[in-house]
Amino acid sequence: PEDVAAFVADPAPDAYDKLVDRLLASPHYGERMALFWLDLVRYADSIGYHSDNPMNVSPYRDYVIRSFNANLPFNRFTVEQLAGDLLPNPTLWQRVATAYNRLLQTTEEGGAQAREYEAKYAADRVRNFGQVWLGGTIMCAECHNHKFDPYTQADFYAMAAFFADVQESPIGRREPGLPVPTADEERRLAELTTAAARARQTLDARAAALGMAALKVDRATASAAEQARAAHDATIPRALVTTAAAPRTVRILARGNWQDTTGPVMQPNTPAFLPPLGKADAKARPTRLDLARWTVSPDNPLTARVFVNRVWRLYFGAGLSKSLEESGTQGEPPTHPELLDWLA
């Protein structure tokens, strides 16, 4: 109420401009914008299935907030999430961004079938990518060609093949995640690491000179320094991130049946009715980085339109097309198509 009253009482001709600048400069701007994005990418702090145990991905939330507050260009925002690990010498936060690929329900249930959950995870990634960046219902092609749009079942599994290099266990989450310390945490960790190393060096030198009985005090000192480092390390947030491995084999699953392994093997590729995938190396297998760059290429007509339409809805209550998740023939045409074209 105080902010509203101050704005109403401000007679300056640039009162509105000042208000907009102040709100955009607020760290809460990034939090507000992150809300809609985190919903889109199905962010959660737990695994979803069965035990619903915690999932270490909170630094990804911080990455999204930081990105909106820094006005990170949307093409970089996209590339870092889909394939930050494949960039040359990726930064810590570019690696954190790839937690996007790990945001899905996983199982720790005894007796779960690994191949079944590999298929579930692959389908989930295609479904979410199609909804978030293409605003399309490509998930309808998991079991058959799309009934209304030109997505084919081959398109669905060719898209799944892009994500086949994501290293993960199909049953359970076994890796602790990448440490993501603040500057202060990193500085303290470095201090404790140095102290532990010095104590260990002193112990080793005295052991060589004196012999594991005369060194009880030195051993205790070295152990205390190492325990302090371990205790501090345990408090640092961690994020499940993407690490590339040898790609799994992806086949077309007849009627989506994960037990049917007779379908043709698919190589990564984008839907045939959209502009062709360009890649850095024409002979190599296409990668997630190729997919990410294709997604934000000026030649791809969908990504910018989908994102602009969502932002318009945030600002004005309804999208230029009310169908935020359906850019195909079952969606609603935009009320102002030339405006949408210009904004995109």
Side-chain angles (χ1 to χ4, degrees):
E2 294 81 7
D3 288 342
V4 174
F7 172 67
V8 171
D10 189 345
D14 63 346
Y16 181 77
D17 291 344
K18 290 190 297 184
L19 174 67
V20 169
D21 289 342
R22 181 173 63 81
L23 293 176
L24 288 177
S26 167
H28 302 306
Y29 168 76
E31 295 170 357
R32 175 63 187 90
M33 294 299 287
L35 280 175
F36 98 95
W37 187 260
L38 295 175
D39 282 344
L40 277 176
V41 299
R42 75 268 195 251
Y43 175 87
D45 287 305
S46 59
I47 65 173
Y49 286 128
H50 311 298
S51 57
D52 200 28
N53 285 333
M55 177 166 61
N56 291 337
V57 287
S58 63
Y60 171 81
R61 175 199 61 205
D62 299 335
Y63 163 83
V64 174
I65 294 171
R66 289 163 58 113
S67 297
F68 277 110
N69 278 332
N71 202 24
L72 188 72
F74 188 70
N75 58 347
R76 284 182 52 194
F77 186 58
T78 295
V79 169
E80 289 177 358
Q81 290 178 80
L82 291 171
D85 58 308
L86 301 181
L87 293 171
N89 302 314
T91 66
L92 172 64
W93 285 101
Q94 286 172 335
R95 295 187 67 196
V96 169
T98 68
Y100 163 74
N101 294 313
R102 310 299 302 278
L103 297 177
L104 67 168
Q105 290 180 296
T106 61
T107 187
E108 298 173 351
E109 183 185 19
Q113 300 295 307
R115 282 220 324 272
E116 178 183 12
Y117 280 88
E118 282 182 359
K120 284 180 181 288
Y121 302 162
D124 184 86
R125 288 182 173 118
V126 175
R127 181 184 305 117
N128 193 254
F129 171 83
Q131 289 272 273
V132 172
W133 278 281
L134 304 183
T137 52
I138 189 173
M139 65 279 215
C140 296
E142 181 178 358
C143 303
H144 51 72
N145 292 343
H146 201 293
K147 299 297 185 184
F148 304 103
D149 294 328
Y151 293 111
T152 67
Q153 195 181 19
D155 288 334
F156 182 91
Y157 289 98
M159 290 291 289
F162 279 111
F163 299 96
D165 69 330
V166 176
Q167 185 174 314
E168 64 188 339
S169 170
I171 309 296
R173 300 251 186 197
R174 293 173 187 165
E175 76 262 46
L178 177 73
V180 187
T182 64
D184 288 341
E185 288 171 335
E186 192 167 21
R187 184 163 48 251
R188 179 58 178 157
L189 187 63
E191 291 171 354
L192 290 170
T193 300
T194 300
R198 285 176 178 167
R200 178 59 56 187
Q201 288 172 354
T202 300
L203 179 64
D204 291 343
R206 287 174 63 83
L210 301 176
M212 287 315 283
L215 298 179
K216 288 183 179 179
V217 174
D218 290 327
R219 270 201 303 270
T221 301
S223 178
E226 290 167 350
Q227 288 175 11
R229 185 196 181 286
H232 178 69
D233 185 65
T235 68
I236 294 174
R238 282 168 161 73
L240 292 171
V241 298
T242 303
T243 302
R248 294 176 292 278
T249 299
V250 174
R251 297 177 181 271
I252 292 181
L253 302 181
R255 298 179 179 268
N257 179 8
W258 63 270
Q259 294 178 306
D260 187 338
T261 59
T262 63
V265 174
M266 299 303 296
Q267 295 298 310
N269 207 353
T270 49
F273 73 94
L274 291 172
L277 177 73
K279 50 183 183 153
D281 185 344
K283 295 181 181 179
R285 175 189 171 100
T287 68
R288 281 181 287 108
L289 186 55
D290 294 319
L291 173 66
R293 288 171 173 162
W294 172 87
T295 301
V296 292
S297 166
D299 296 329
N300 185 344
L302 282 180
T303 305
R305 298 173 68 82
V306 168
F307 185 68
V308 162
N309 195 45
R310 287 200 172 105
V311 172
W312 190 272
R313 188 260 181 193
L314 278 179
Y315 291 171
F316 300 111
L320 291 168
S321 166
K322 292 183 180 179
S323 305
L324 299 181
E325 314 299 333
E326 173 56 284
S327 60
T329 59
Q330 299 297 101
E332 291 191 31
T335 55
H336 297 74
E338 292 181 356
L339 175 59
L340 183 57
D341 288 345
W342 183 80
L343 290 168

